[in-house]
Amino acid sequence: MEYKPIRKVVSGNYAAAYAALHARVQVVAAYPITPQTSIIEKIAEFIANGEADIQYIPVESEHSAMAACIGASATGARTFTATSAQGLALMHEMLHWAAGARLPIVMVDVNRAMAPPWSVWDDQTDSLSQRDTGWMQFYAENNQEVYDGVLMAYKVAETVNVPAMVVESAFILSHTYDVVEMIPQELVDEFLPPRKPLYSLANFDEPIAVGALATPNDYYEFRYKLAKAHEEAKKVIKEVGKEFGERFGRDYSQMIETGYIDDADFVFMGMGSLMGTVKEAVDLLRKEGYKVGYAKVRWFRPFPKEELVEIAESVKGIAVLDRNFSFGQEGILFTESKGALYNSSAHPLMKNYIVGLGGRDVTVKDIKAIADDMKKVIESGKVDKEVVWYHLKR
Amino acid sequence: MIEVRFHGRGGQGAVTAANILAEAAFLEGKYVQAFPFFGVERRGAPVTAFTRIDNKPIRIKTQIYEPDVVVVLDPSLLDAVDVTAGLKDEGIVIVNTEKSKEEVLEKLKKKPKKLAIVDATTIALEILGLPITNTAILGAVAKATGLVKIESIEEAIKDTFSGELGEKNARAAREAYEKTEVFEL
């Protein structure tokens, strides 16, 4: 069957819901939270209209939502949920359970700032706080990547038996309508066949135990296996991303998407929706003679260390844009990328710009101002200040 | 790229208007983006919504600061909000009002290149029985800007509201399209 996309104008949240529908998820357990709510409302609508055969489990909290997903996934069902900010934080304990039990659940997290003070706007600290739970994390730049990301996440997750989070920006994607090319169901089915679980709690002929005790004699190896699965995932992500490109024309074989990298003095590095604005700004800066490029980190876990080293070897500097912060240290992507490069031969000048926390708009003008600052760093050959709170009111 | 900013009051459907305009342009093969001012809306409070239209994919993810077109759904907003803030010099302003061109211009902080006025409230009351002007005003947008055809607006409205509701709202847009007065300034 020839690929003819179905183009629709949908919000990021609807893109997520359609992807879950097209992935033929079997179980959804979720609890509503702004700005994630319209994902599960749309899924509820699919069920009510008879468009989807999904077991929807209403629950009393996000902790319960993930607990229900774990149970469902352990029976072999393709399982989906979505949340945001405080809801994700409430799931935290169960996130470890999902990854430790090696269950390929896919969740959409709508990046929203953590309270207090209360906020419903974009900020990556919620998902990055779940860094060490064992989940993979994919950051979407636009609604198309939300849709594509969910479909690829299932394929990768079910190959390596590790859960995956697809992350989209609050409002900037979740509530923004944009053109999305959807894939006809038969072609999604070819790309993503039904899940073949290694084990199933529902297989009574071969009973298994989930969540049993592991003594010091065994626990260590369980952790090693999960670590190896993440290493394996890097390979699988590239393969699945390439296959996706071959089938549907959008290539995701790189875990870090780059632009203008070959002759760039420095690149902007960041994740998520703000990288769309960065691309726009870089085009304009190039016209003005700036030797600048971009490096958009698509997958934060597993961390694309090898790709980053390659990029870092070809540039003099990296301006890391973090819409997040780790208190007592710096932007999280900044720490991660410096750490990844430490033992490599690449040592570009690196400066961290903290931007857009709690949904403050990151504009083309901001990116241009940061380019001017970074240009000075390159010219002087010295990082004057490692971390700048760029948006601070002065 | 054309950037449109809608001013309305919570509950009047400014966000829906932005979405329908995007859908109409999409039906004509354009790339589009539509979004609300990212906030927590309250009924009656001033709200803004935005539409971007372009011939290529839209990557920018910021709010709109320098609109090409401003659409005002509620005439009382002219006293409450600087609706022309950041308006481009060649900008177009479209206002739902029963007042005259001169009265509207007096209230605008910046003189637009083009002004369009229509009494969308009366049209909405006659056709829909409700003072919801978000679909009617889109007829004025089609007329004043030429960004999209009125037929595309009608189709996008019928895609958004099914059955009789869609028919009525499309009729409101057509009626407003015919009654809109456009002034080159």
Side-chain angles (χ1 to χ4, degrees):
Chain A
M1 183 179 167
E2 197 198 339
Y3 171 53
K4 272 201 198 116
I6 303 153
R7 300 173 83 238
K8 279 190 182 158
V9 181
V10 292
S11 67
N13 278 354
Y14 282 6
Y18 274 104
L21 174 74
H22 294 160
R24 296 193 187 274
V25 301
Q26 293 160 297
V27 178
V28 175
Y31 189 83
I33 181 171
T34 301
Q36 155 263 32
T37 310
S38 53
I39 298 177
I40 51 172
E41 280 174 351
K42 192 71 184 170
I43 290 175
E45 197 183 301
F46 292 146
I47 298 168
N49 292 345
E51 289 174 72
D53 184 17
I54 296 172
Q55 183 76 42
Y56 180 79
I57 308 171
V59 283
E60 71 283 2
S61 77
E62 286 87 353
H63 189 276
S64 307
M66 187 45 65
C69 286
I70 288 168
S73 188
T75 68
R78 187 168 284 162
T79 306
F80 179 83
T81 189
T83 192
S84 195
Q86 314 301 120
L88 184 64
L90 185 54
M91 271 184 191
H92 176 73
E93 182 204 358
M94 287 292 136
L95 296 182
H96 282 279
W97 275 97
R102 307 291 301 275
L103 298 169
I105 299 163
V106 171
M107 160 160 65
V108 170
D109 174 55
V110 185
N111 258 161
R112 160 183 152 177
M114 295 300 298
W118 279 112
S119 168
V120 292
W121 294 278
D122 188 25
D123 191 303
Q124 298 164 337
T125 310
D126 63 344
S127 52
L128 292 174
S129 296
Q130 310 306 328
R131 185 190 66 174
D132 301 335
T133 54
W135 282 60
M136 298 186 283
Q137 294 195 356
F138 173 92
Y139 286 78
E141 177 198 321
N142 50 41
N143 296 354
Q144 184 70 59
E145 290 190 359
V146 174
Y147 178 83
D148 296 346
V150 169
L151 296 178
M152 287 187 289
Y154 272 112
K155 185 138 178 164
V156 176
E158 291 174 7
T159 306
V160 295
N161 294 299
V162 175
M165 211 180 277
V166 173
V167 185
E168 60 157 324
S169 298
F171 296 103
I172 298 170
L173 299 187
S174 71
H175 285 62
T176 294
Y177 283 70
D178 193 355
V179 181
V180 174
E181 289 193 355
M182 297 188 192
I183 303 163
Q185 186 66 60
E186 303 92 282
L187 295 182
V188 177
D189 291 346
E190 279 177 25
F191 170 74
L192 185 67
R195 180 181 163 200
K196 289 197 193 92
L198 287 175
Y199 309 98
S200 168
L201 268 185
N203 180 359
F204 302 115
D205 296 330
E206 290 175 48
I208 56 162
V210 172
L213 178 78
T215 64
N217 200 35
D218 296 316
Y219 183 90
Y220 191 97
E221 278 66 29
F222 276 102
R223 281 299 166 266
Y224 177 72
K225 283 184 174 174
L226 182 51
K228 289 299 275 183
H230 268 262
E231 279 306 313
E232 174 69 14
K234 288 189 197 174
K235 227 176 76 198
V236 175
I237 284 167
K238 286 167 187 280
E239 285 164 7
V240 168
K242 186 162 175 267
E243 184 192 344
F244 197 91
E246 284 163 1
R247 285 177 182 269
F248 311 123
R250 292 180 296 279
D251 181 88
Y252 290 89
S253 59
Q254 302 296 310
M255 294 172 78
I256 306 180
E257 180 195 335
T258 57
Y260 297 109
I261 208 107
D262 293 342
D263 67 335
D265 280 343
F266 71 92
V267 290
F268 292 104
M269 187 161 84
M271 304 192 291
S273 65
L274 70 87
M275 292 309 288
T277 304
V278 166
K279 287 179 182 178
E280 194 74 21
V282 166
D283 274 357
L284 296 169
L285 286 162
R286 277 275 164 178
K287 281 183 194 140
E288 293 170 22
Y290 288 73
K291 288 177 105 179
V292 59
Y294 62 84
K296 181 182 89 185
V297 177
R298 285 187 174 129
W299 292 87
F300 177 77
R301 278 293 181 272
F303 194 75
K305 190 171 168 173
E306 298 77 10
E307 284 185 34
L308 177 60
V309 170
E310 255 181 63
I311 293 162
E313 274 169 350
S314 73
V315 296
K316 293 177 194 158
I318 303 179
V320 181
L321 307 172
D322 270 306
R323 190 172 226 154
N324 61 74
F325 197 74
S326 175
F327 298 103
Q329 181 62 335
E330 54 204 6
I332 296 166
L333 184 59
F334 189 56
T335 305
E336 293 276 331
S337 43
K338 281 193 305 179
L341 295 176
Y342 186 79
N343 276 330
S344 79
S345 57
H347 289 105
L349 298 160
M350 295 183 71
K351 188 162 174 175
N352 192 196
Y353 299 87
I354 306 302
V355 295
L357 301 185
R360 192 164 295 180
D361 212 7
V362 182
T363 65
V364 168
K365 214 168 117 192
D366 294 335
I367 303 303
K368 284 180 151 186
I370 291 171
D372 282 329
D373 187 64
M374 196 61 197
K375 213 174 144 196
K376 280 186 215 146
V377 171
I378 302 295
E379 280 162 7
S380 69
K382 198 168 88 229
V383 178
D384 54 328
K385 199 175 172 201
E386 259 202 313
V387 184
V388 176
W389 284 68
Y390 172 80
H391 273 127
L392 203 61
K393 288 176 190 157
R394 290 177 182 94
Chain B
M1 181 163 58
I2 300 290
E3 297 184 314
V4 183
R5 185 172 69 210
F6 290 84
H7 292 272
R9 289 187 181 277
Q12 288 178 335
V15 177
T16 305
N19 288 345
I20 293 173
L21 177 60
E23 179 77 26
F26 169 72
L27 291 171
E28 295 185 6
K30 297 284 186 5
Y31 287 91
V32 296
Q33 194 187 66
F35 53 102
F37 178 80
F38 308 133
V40 186
E41 283 183 16
R42 290 147 298 151
R43 187 163 284 269
V47 296
T48 41
F50 309 92
T51 305
R52 285 192 172 102
I53 301 172
D54 205 347
N55 292 318
K56 54 184 197 310
I58 299 168
R59 299 177 301 181
I60 195 164
K61 295 286 183 291
T62 70
Q63 287 168 33
I64 290 171
Y65 297 97
E66 292 173 358
D68 300 275
V69 180
V70 164
V71 185
V72 184
L73 275 77
D74 187 311
S76 73
L77 285 169
L78 295 178
D79 295 312
V81 179
D82 177 10
V83 297
T84 57
L87 180 71
K88 290 212 179 85
D89 290 340
E90 326 75 68
I92 303 173
V93 173
I94 299 155
V95 185
N96 163 31
T97 181
E98 47 180 21
K99 295 206 164 64
S100 70
K101 169 186 97 173
E102 287 73 22
E103 284 170 293
V104 171
L105 278 175
E106 208 172 286
K107 287 184 193 289
L108 297 181
K109 284 216 174 116
K110 176 169 179 170
K111 192 171 139 187
K113 188 89 178 149
K114 209 191 254 188
L115 174 69
I117 52 175
V118 64
D119 185 0
T121 306
T122 298
I123 293 170
L125 281 170
E126 274 171 11
I127 297 177
L128 308 171
L130 288 166
I132 306 285
T133 57
N134 63 343
T135 47
I137 200 78
L138 289 171
V141 173
K143 176 85 160 268
T145 67
L147 271 175
V148 288
K149 294 197 205 81
I150 181 65
E151 290 78 14
S152 306
I153 293 280
E154 289 171 316
E155 194 181 336
I157 288 173
K158 288 184 209 162
D159 286 348
T160 307
F161 306 104
S162 53
E164 200 197 348
L165 192 61
E167 296 291 336
K168 278 186 173 176
N169 277 283
R171 194 137 49 83
R174 171 66 74 167
E175 179 96 359
Y177 177 80
E178 272 149 22
K179 288 190 171 159
T180 299
E181 294 178 275
V182 184
F183 306 98
E184 302 278 349
L185 304 169

